[in-house]
Amino acid sequence: MSFTNMLALFGGITIALYLLKFTWRCWCGFREFFLSEYWQADLRKYGKWAVVTGATSGIGKAYACELAQRGLDVVLIGRSNDKLRMVAKEIESKYGRHTHTIQADFTAGGSIYPAIDKDLQGLEIGILVNNVGMTCSDHFAYFLEMPEIEQTISQIINCNTLSVSQMTRLVLPGMVERKTGLIINISSEMGARPQPLLAMYSATKVFVTYFSQCLHAEYKSKGIHVQCVAPLMVSTNMTHNMKVSSIVKSASAFVHEAVNTVGHSSYTSGCLSHTLQVRAKVHCNFFQIFGCKILTIPPSLSLQSVALALLLPDWLRMSTFFISRLRKLSKTRKYE
């Protein structure tokens, strides 16, 4: 065989492999976001009760309502007793499911978990949604600019990472004993790559992603499914209830699509819109940088700045020049 023919064969095999990979990804995406609407997992097979942390608003409340609608009783865990009672009453009246509320402040550290463990005793917990989370600041900020930094460091670690591992520790033994269970951990696309000026939040979300993937690998043979959900823009209190649009999902719409992906994906952006944003190669003049001045940011992109920043090349996004420009921007405009 001549050298030319060898190159042609190698090229043909390479193209075939890429086409096969592309076809497989298309099929997985079609199954995850289109077939899943009609081919939904029966969540009741995991157990009678679902536990949701941070269940009084936003994505947590949406998960609690969605799971109740799909036939599960729900344990609601949150910081405010009044809000817990309101959500519990709404679920009971609207969906006719039983609820149980547990008041807990996840920023307080490890001292809260013995009481939570006691309250969960005797419940057949089939699903755990580790949703509770917090940001370290409401705008882009250097690490040392975080408000009350010593306290904030402990709070964000306790809330975003310790809660995930400790709640998993409490419910996983029962799942392993019954050989079935579902754990859903809410991460963020902020953790997909290092995000300067949001260092603590970005780093804690990396933990959630890696912990979920490792746990799924360890326990899938025992009948336990662990899913990591990493959304982009969802209109919640944490994102200042930004206006819903084609790329910004409402909490209820996002969670409906995300729950549909159970059984189809162990790692997901949660909805088709966010998946397309993450995977698309965006070509836009998000930043027009001349000298030391950022000239324009179109108003339509102001709510999308963080998502688009993730799509910038790492060498630029991690550069001192870019960080200083972004920090200067945040002095006049809070990030959404």
Side-chain angles (χ1 to χ4, degrees):
M1 181 181 294
S2 68
F3 181 70
T4 303
N5 290 337
M6 288 180 63
L7 287 178
L9 178 61
F10 179 77
I13 292 174
T14 301
I15 292 174
L17 289 175
Y18 272 100
L19 287 175
L20 183 62
K21 185 177 181 180
F22 177 74
T23 302
W24 174 250
R25 285 185 174 181
C26 289
W27 161 248
C28 290
F30 180 74
R31 183 185 67 179
E32 183 177 350
F33 296 113
F34 293 97
L35 287 184
S36 63
E37 183 66 33
Y38 310 99
W39 185 11
Q40 298 176 357
D42 182 8
L43 301 181
R44 293 172 296 182
K45 70 180 181 182
Y46 294 113
K48 182 179 180 181
W49 287 87
V51 177
V52 182
T53 65
T56 57
S57 64
I59 291 176
K61 179 182 177 182
Y63 261 104
C65 292
E66 185 71 25
L67 295 175
Q69 185 177 5
R70 300 196 186 203
L72 285 95
D73 297 331
V74 186
V75 178
L76 307 166
I77 307 181
R79 184 166 53 182
S80 169
N81 267 323
D82 291 338
K83 292 181 179 179
L84 286 169
R85 284 193 291 266
M86 288 175 59
V87 176
K89 184 177 180 180
E90 179 181 340
I91 289 175
E92 290 171 357
S93 61
K94 192 172 182 179
Y95 304 109
R97 305 306 307 179
H98 296 293
T99 63
H100 179 61
T101 62
I102 300 176
Q103 191 276 330
D105 182 359
F106 285 100
T107 66
S111 61
I112 66 173
Y113 295 100
I116 294 177
D117 187 23
K118 184 177 180 181
D119 278 339
L120 294 179
Q121 291 299 316
L123 300 179
E124 183 187 78
I125 299 171
I127 299 176
L128 167 65
V129 181
N130 281 312
N131 161 76
V132 68
M134 62 176 288
T135 57
C136 45
S137 176
D138 63 355
H139 62 279
F140 290 116
Y142 286 98
F143 176 71
L144 291 179
E145 293 177 341
M146 288 191 302
E148 300 178 347
I149 183 170
E150 182 176 359
Q151 180 181 358
T152 301
I153 289 173
S154 296
Q155 288 180 339
I156 196 169
I157 291 175
N158 289 338
C159 188
N160 292 9
T161 63
L162 184 65
S163 66
V164 175
S165 49
Q166 288 284 19
M167 289 302 301
T168 299
R169 175 186 66 84
L170 296 183
V171 305
L172 188 57
M175 294 179 175
V176 172
E177 183 179 351
R178 298 193 314 273
K179 298 182 179 180
T180 186
L182 170 64
I183 298 174
I184 300 173
N185 294 327
I186 308 301
S187 182
S188 171
E189 279 300 328
M190 282 290 184
R193 297 177 182 177
Q195 184 58 56
L197 305 181
L198 294 172
M200 288 295 297
Y201 184 76
S202 178
T204 55
K205 289 304 180 181
V206 172
F207 171 86
V208 176
T209 298
Y210 280 16
F211 180 75
S212 303
Q213 293 173 338
C214 293
L215 206 66
H216 181 68
E218 291 175 9
Y219 286 93
K220 60 184 177 181
S221 63
K222 302 181 184 297
I224 314 301
H225 185 84
V226 182
Q227 183 186 56
C228 180
V229 180
L232 275 170
M233 303 298 183
V234 180
S235 180
T236 65
N237 292 339
M238 184 182 290
T239 56
H240 306 288
N241 297 302
M242 62 176 66
K243 184 179 179 180
V244 175
S245 67
S246 59
I247 69 167
V248 180
K249 303 287 289 188
S250 68
S252 57
F254 171 79
V255 167
H256 176 76
E257 289 191 49
V259 173
N260 284 346
T261 68
V262 170
H264 299 286
S265 176
S266 60
Y267 180 91
T268 179
S269 295
C271 65
L272 179 62
S273 171
H274 289 185
T275 299
L276 293 176
Q277 291 176 64
V278 170
R279 295 182 181 179
K281 292 182 179 180
V282 177
H283 300 283
C284 65
N285 59 342
F286 175 60
F287 289 127
Q288 297 180 11
I289 304 178
F290 291 87
C292 296
K293 183 178 180 181
I294 298 177
L295 292 182
T296 58
I297 296 181
S300 61
L301 294 181
S302 61
L303 298 181
Q304 308 163 26
S305 58
V306 176
L308 292 177
L310 286 172
L311 299 174
L312 291 170
D314 285 352
W315 64 267
L316 175 60
R317 193 165 45 83
M318 300 294 288
S319 68
T320 301
F321 172 76
F322 180 78
I323 292 172
S324 64
R325 300 285 75 75
L326 192 60
R327 181 65 186 90
K328 183 179 293 185
L329 174 67
S330 73
K331 290 180 179 180
T332 57
R333 182 180 301 197
K334 291 182 179 182
Y335 81 90
E336 307 299 341

